Amino acid sequence: MNNDLPLTREAILDAAEQVLRRFGPDKTSVVDIAKVLRVSHGTVYRHFASKASLREAVTERWLHKSIAEPLEAIAGNVNGSAVERLKLWLEALIHAKQSFSLQDSEMFAMYAAVTLDTIEMIATHVDCLIEQIARIIRQGMDSAEFKPGQPEVLARSIFIATSRFHHPAHAREWLAETIDADFDAVWNLILLGIE
Amino acid sequence: MNNDLPLTREAILDAAEQVLRRFGPDKTSVVDIAKVLRVSHGTVYRHFASKASLREAVTERWLHKSIAEPLEAIAGNVNGSAVERLKLWLEALIHAKQSFSLQDSEMFAMYAAVTLDTIEMIATHVDCLIEQIARIIRQGMDSAEFKPGQPEVLARSIFIATSRFHHPAHAREWLAETIDADFDAVWNLILLGIE
């Protein structure tokens, strides 16, 4: 990095993500990240109070870019059936989590660890996802595809009822042979309830 | 223990459970268990091939006695409403798991660890619980409290959809203030689907 330019928050997060991916969260220090940026660790600490807050910010950005943003494209599409959109949205969430757990395992492990500690940041991310589901449900209620009800409460219950398929604590179970059949069964239960 | 009596499997499990509770799974050795029984560790190994299989057998017995058996008393009661029985059963499962995580934390930690490794034993335990739910649902279908459907598939989907509240991987989330409201929301979604 060119040291003459002012050091932005984004540039620090880029370097931190790169170093965390290479060494893993346990073996990465703020000094390692400062080295990549060719600045002193004091400079990094002016932007982030601790290694933990840096780790949290990297995870938050990753969750936004790789989960919330792509899903927003599905939730924001107002054409077609709300049932199909809801299923597409859930499958996209599940597919994203399941592929990251295998193909971006360093970031996924960090996210799984951060989930246990940074309750507030994760709650904000989850609220953002639930709001997307609520929008799909509201459209389905408006078009009478779904029974009348409270979109926010239903959205939250659907998100929680599908935890087995997207919550990082279940990552090991995603390798089970029955996982797709189990999702179909839970999806059918949800549909019975809302259609 | 009186060394003149033949050493039963149950006696070994009693001693193992006692030692595992006292020292925790990591610090317990087969030698410790043999010492409590006043036998050689070779004698214990004649019944259990490894410390892992002993740990699995203790967990299996604990799950049966403290979860499956008390729940069977609810599932086996054919009087009254199936809706109420299903809710009572789920609440009893959730209450049992949540209190063990706080009040029997050594056994719960061992169970949480065993869940990740002994897939077959846990699958058998889960199948036993799902069979109990299926029986309640079948009764509800027979009495027309529930819509017609496949009791086994519905039972499995209800068990999975409530994972957030009883799967040990979620134990930290059970302390959240919203956990009871979240269960009510998921329960209402299930009811919408089956009634």
Side-chain angles (χ1 to χ4, degrees), chain A residues 47-109:
Chain A
H47 292 261
F48 294 95
S50 63
K51 180 179 148 185
S53 71
L54 195 48
R55 208 175 68 143
E56 179 179 335
V58 168
T59 307
E60 186 177 23
R61 194 177 69 156
W62 177 79
L63 280 174
H64 187 77
K65 273 195 204 165
S66 59
I67 306 279
E69 249 182 39
L71 289 175
E72 174 57 38
I74 299 172
N77 174 7
V78 294
N79 301 312
S81 135
V83 173
E84 280 169 25
R85 196 151 62 250
L86 181 58
K87 188 166 192 208
L88 196 65
W89 191 97
L90 286 170
E91 285 175 341
L93 171 66
I94 291 165
H95 178 76
K97 292 288 185 77
Q98 297 186 358
S99 14
F100 286 131
S101 80
L102 298 172
Q103 286 152 27
D104 196 1
S105 52
E106 281 292 358
M107 281 301 289
F108 190 84

Side-chain angles (χ1 to χ4, degrees), chain A:
Chain A
M1 171 170 173
N2 186 331
N3 212 358
D4 300 335
L5 291 174
L7 188 64
T8 62
R9 191 184 148 88
E10 283 299 298
I12 297 174
L13 292 179
D14 287 342
E17 185 170 329
Q18 184 191 329
V19 177
L20 284 162
R21 273 221 165 80
R22 201 184 311 153
F23 300 122
D26 294 336
K27 289 182 189 159
T28 296
S29 71
V30 171
V31 172
D32 296 326
I33 295 162
K35 265 187 203 156
V36 170
L37 291 162
R38 296 186 197 161
V39 299
S40 73
H41 61 274
T43 306
V44 175
Y45 279 122
R46 272 203 290 282
H47 292 261
F48 294 95
S50 63
K51 180 179 148 185
S53 71
L54 195 48
R55 208 175 68 143
E56 179 179 335
V58 168
T59 307
E60 186 177 23
R61 194 177 69 156
W62 177 79
L63 280 174
H64 187 77
K65 273 195 204 165
S66 59
I67 306 279
E69 249 182 39
L71 289 175
E72 174 57 38
I74 299 172
N77 174 7
V78 294
N79 301 312
S81 135
V83 173
E84 280 169 25
R85 196 151 62 250
L86 181 58
K87 188 166 192 208
L88 196 65
W89 191 97
L90 286 170
E91 285 175 341
L93 171 66
I94 291 165
H95 178 76
K97 292 288 185 77
Q98 297 186 358
S99 14
F100 286 131
S101 80
L102 298 172
Q103 286 152 27
D104 196 1
S105 52
E106 281 292 358
M107 281 301 289
F108 190 84
M110 190 161 84
Y111 152 59
V114 160
T115 297
L116 297 173
D117 297 324
T118 61
I119 292 162
E120 207 171 315
M121 184 275 279
I122 294 293
T124 306
H125 168 68
V126 165
D127 284 347
C128 161
L129 296 185
I130 289 173
E131 186 278 322
Q132 294 186 9
I133 307 179
R135 241 185 298 146
I136 300 174
I137 292 180
R138 203 172 297 114
Q139 288 156 5
M141 287 177 177
D142 289 347
S143 64
E145 267 186 89
F146 296 149
K147 290 183 251 189
Q150 294 173 283
E152 293 76 14
V153 176
L154 274 174
R156 189 168 172 87
S157 62
I158 291 170
F159 187 82
I160 293 174
T162 52
S163 297
R164 177 74 65 115
F165 311 104
H166 55 69
H167 191 295
H170 291 285
R172 284 221 202 177
E173 291 158 271
W174 299 341
L175 305 169
E177 279 177 16
T178 55
I179 195 78
D180 291 336
D182 285 342
F183 174 69
D184 287 342
V186 171
W187 167 249
N188 286 330
L189 177 66
I190 292 170
L191 261 197
L192 279 174
I194 61 176
E195 265 195 326

Side-chain angles (χ1 to χ4, degrees), chain A residues 164 170 173, chain B residues 97 115 162-171 174:
Chain A
R164 177 74 65 115
H170 291 285
E173 291 158 271
Chain B
K97 292 286 185 81
T115 296
T162 51
S163 297
R164 178 74 66 114
F165 311 104
H166 55 68
H167 191 295
H170 291 285
W174 299 341

